[in-house]
Amino acid sequence: KQEVTQIPAALSVPEGENLVLNCSFTDSAIYNLQWFRQDPGKGLTSLLLIQSSQREQTSGRLNASLDKSSGRSTLYIAASQPGDSATYLCAAGANNLFFGTGTRLTVIP
Amino acid sequence: DAGVTQSPTHLIKTRGQHVTLRCSPISGHKSVSWYQQVLGQGPQFIFQYYEKEERGRGNFPDRFSARQFPNYSSELNVNALLLGDSALYLCASSLGLDVSPLHFGNGTRLTVT
């Protein structure tokens, strides 16, 4: 069974700082690795999807990488803003996604 | 275009009752999945339906059931509710199987008292 771990559980940074969120998974035979954002009490917003044949994806200030051999993915956020404050979840799999417990990010103005 | 819509947004039920949650996928999406998110945890997979057929089931008891209709909307039913069923129930849709990203609704917050 796929297990997904996210470290750290919580992170506070000053506005403008670049940061990296980490995600590790146990089964390297994954279809996709997807990063989501979740605001309190809300659903999930898809940020980036990396297919198993890809190494990274970029969208605006976000860059996600995938290293299947080491079972790791990272989400890089450049020039963080207070509006980036949310919980970030990574998930491995296809339509049956295995989620980590998330990293709660706070960007301090 | 409308995103994934779920109803109701909030629901309070008593132990032993049953509940029906509803989901409308993004237009053109044929796959619908259901997830349960307990406070402080990541979502857990319950069901996936594609073209009205069940394509996957997570580790949930038989009290949980679902179906998908010809218009691709879906219902999740939970019988004999337990306190532990209190959670945010999330519906997600995708164009097809496996390679397309999941798009989630805002969920239904179920509280069982």
Side-chain angles (χ1 to χ4, degrees):
Chain A
K1 178 190 171 186
Q2 179 74 268
E3 292 186 7
V4 179
T5 304
Q6 291 186 248
I7 295 174
L11 180 65
S12 289
V13 300
E15 181 178 1
E17 192 164 295
N18 302 325
L19 59 102
V20 174
L21 306 181
N22 296 294
C23 172
S24 61
F25 46 91
T26 54
D27 185 354
S28 61
I30 63 171
Y31 266 86
N32 304 317
L33 194 293
Q34 197 165 352
W35 282 92
F36 296 90
R37 168 190 173 133
Q38 187 172 33
D39 292 291
K42 299 294 185 182
L44 279 62
T45 300
S46 178
L47 298 173
L48 290 165
L49 169 72
I50 310 175
Q51 296 182 2
S52 61
S53 59
Q54 298 173 327
R55 295 294 300 272
E56 66 177 336
Q57 284 287 333
T58 298
S59 176
R61 295 184 293 109
L62 305 180
N63 175 275
S65 67
L66 174 63
D67 184 346
K68 290 199 303 179
S69 62
S70 66
R72 293 181 180 178
S73 176
T74 61
L75 178 66
Y76 174 83
I77 302 177
S80 58
Q81 302 171 358
D84 295 331
S85 297
T87 296
Y88 290 80
L89 293 153
C90 72
N95 285 151
N96 174 7
L97 291 177
F98 292 89
F99 281 84
T101 54
T103 295
R104 188 173 70 252
L105 173 66
T106 302
V107 180
I108 303 165
Chain B
D1 284 344
V4 178
T5 57
Q6 293 186 243
S7 63
T9 55
H10 295 83
L11 202 52
I12 299 175
K13 290 286 189 178
T14 305
R15 277 178 298 175
Q17 288 187 317
H18 76 273
V19 67
T20 298
L21 310 181
R22 295 178 174 83
C23 171
S24 293
I26 291 172
S27 178
H29 285 196
K30 297 182 178 181
S31 175
V32 170
S33 302
W34 287 95
Y35 287 78
Q36 180 196 65
Q37 186 177 25
V38 174
L39 196 62
Q41 300 296 315
Q44 278 198 295
F45 172 74
I46 310 175
F47 285 110
Q48 185 202 3
Y49 277 78
Y50 177 72
E51 292 282 16
K52 302 183 291 295
E53 292 188 4
E54 182 181 304
R55 292 302 191 102
R57 170 187 277 262
N59 188 25
F60 281 80
D62 291 343
R63 299 184 296 107
F64 288 77
S65 64
R67 57 179 175 169
Q68 186 177 31
F69 299 99
N71 66 353
Y72 302 109
S73 66
S74 178
E75 284 183 353
L76 176 69
N77 295 284
V78 187
N79 293 324
L81 285 167
L82 304 174
L83 295 179
D85 295 331
S86 296
L88 180 67
Y89 288 85
L90 295 163
C91 174
S93 74
S94 61
L95 279 169
L97 292 173
D98 298 339
V99 296
S100 54
L102 290 187
H103 299 271
F104 282 81
N106 282 330
T108 294
R109 172 72 63 187
L110 173 65
T111 302
V112 182
T113 61

